[in-house]
Amino acid sequence: MIVAIDGPAGAGKSTVAKALAGVLGVPFLDTGAMYRAITWKVLEDGFELADAEACASLARRTHLAFSAEGLCVDGVLRGAEIRSADVDKAVSIVAAHSGVRAAIVPLQREMAAEAGGAVAEGRDVTTVVFPEADHRFFLSASAEERARRRTMQRRAGEGSAGEDGAAGEGYELILAAIKRRDHLDSTRADSPLMRGEGVSVVDTGTLEASEVVKLMLSIIKNS
Ligand code: DC
């Protein structure tokens, strides 16, 4: 079974996708981590973020594989590295290059096929990667609500250090980072974030993660 979940940064996709994958007994496919990995390598190797061909060529020669602990980049687990503040700021630029997407998307399809299914989350999984998925969802919440949640996570010392504002950064800075990423992810030419036709839209604004999972499971069972 393939379940595809799209939505903006901070809508709770990862938490919900992980939980759903556990219940359904299929792997969780974190497609954003793959774009983060390429971005991390672009920064490490000192390439220009705007150099589409250099980024695409790097994406083509990078080996990506998920282990139980997370994403391995060329055979080495890179959990914290791909969630740094620098990667956060750069990832929307690298992910916008068509050549990068052309290298990554087939790999995502292969991973799901090899595993016999997946719960995939990202920005284009319902529209481009798995348009024929068994179930397709779009998780939404206002930018203000998403920033409020991120601010609370930061204060509690949860989540990754750099994601949409470093630890200690206040609500306003986090809100600005989220709005910037929303804009870049939604306005790019190739595979922008959008609500595809026929997707089930779930507003996570007033719901706990467990309630979102419950709601999605009931939609899956009743469809
Ligand atoms: O979900 P995330 O925050 O880890 O994603 C990081 C970036 O990668 C996000 O800003 C846009 C990009 N992305 C993408 O273009 N397509 C996907 N399927 C997933 C993420």
Side-chain angles (χ1 to χ4, degrees):
M1 176 195 285
I2 293 185
V3 179
I5 307 169
D6 279 332
K13 298 186 301 292
S14 300
T15 311
V16 162
K18 258 183 231 163
L20 211 54
V23 175
L24 298 172
V26 291
F28 161 51
L29 183 56
D30 179 357
T31 63
M34 299 169 81
Y35 292 101
R36 287 175 176 276
I38 302 306
T39 305
W40 172 72
K41 270 191 77 171
V42 168
L43 294 172
E44 280 287 297
D45 292 0
F47 291 120
E48 289 290 327
L49 299 173
D51 188 339
E53 191 34 50
C55 292
S57 142
L58 196 75
R60 286 192 291 270
R61 52 177 201 273
T62 299
H63 184 263
L64 298 176
F66 285 98
S67 73
E69 289 84 43
L71 184 59
C72 296
V73 185
D74 297 322
V76 182
L77 183 66
R78 299 289 182 189
E81 292 92 332
I82 66 168
R83 300 200 178 269
S84 70
D86 288 343
V87 169
D88 241 24
K89 285 191 194 116
V91 64
S92 292
I93 299 168
V94 173
H97 297 314
S98 291
V100 171
R101 307 196 74 80
I104 299 294
V105 167
L107 198 55
Q108 293 165 349
R109 294 188 184 128
E110 261 170 48
M111 286 174 170
E114 269 171 25
V119 176
E121 64 104 333
R123 302 297 187 289
D124 64 342
V125 294
T126 63
T127 53
V128 174
V129 188
F130 302 114
E132 310 288 333
D134 301 275
H135 303 282
R136 296 181 304 136
F137 292 94
F138 189 97
L139 299 194
S140 71
S142 70
E144 287 72 17
E145 174 58 26
R146 289 180 281 131
R148 194 187 63 74
R149 280 193 211 150
R150 278 267 150 93
T151 309
M152 303 226 312
Q153 285 172 350
R154 287 292 95 78
R155 285 193 187 138
E158 292 165 10
S160 52
E163 230 166 0
D164 297 322
E169 272 185 5
Y171 170 82
E172 292 300 335
L173 279 177
I174 291 179
L175 178 62
I178 281 186
K179 284 188 171 168
R180 174 179 172 273
R181 212 137 75 87
D182 281 356
H183 178 72
L184 290 171
D185 293 346
S186 311
T187 55
R188 67 182 181 214
D190 190 343
S191 315
L193 169 70
M194 59 180 194
R195 293 178 191 200
E197 232 172 87
V199 298
S200 304
V201 178
V202 177
D203 190 331
T204 67
T206 57
L207 300 174
E208 296 290 328
S210 59
E211 295 174 307
V212 177
V213 173
K214 236 170 138 181
L215 180 60
M216 291 167 82
L217 279 171
S218 79
I219 294 173
I220 290 172
K221 280 188 188 130
N222 293 321
S223 64

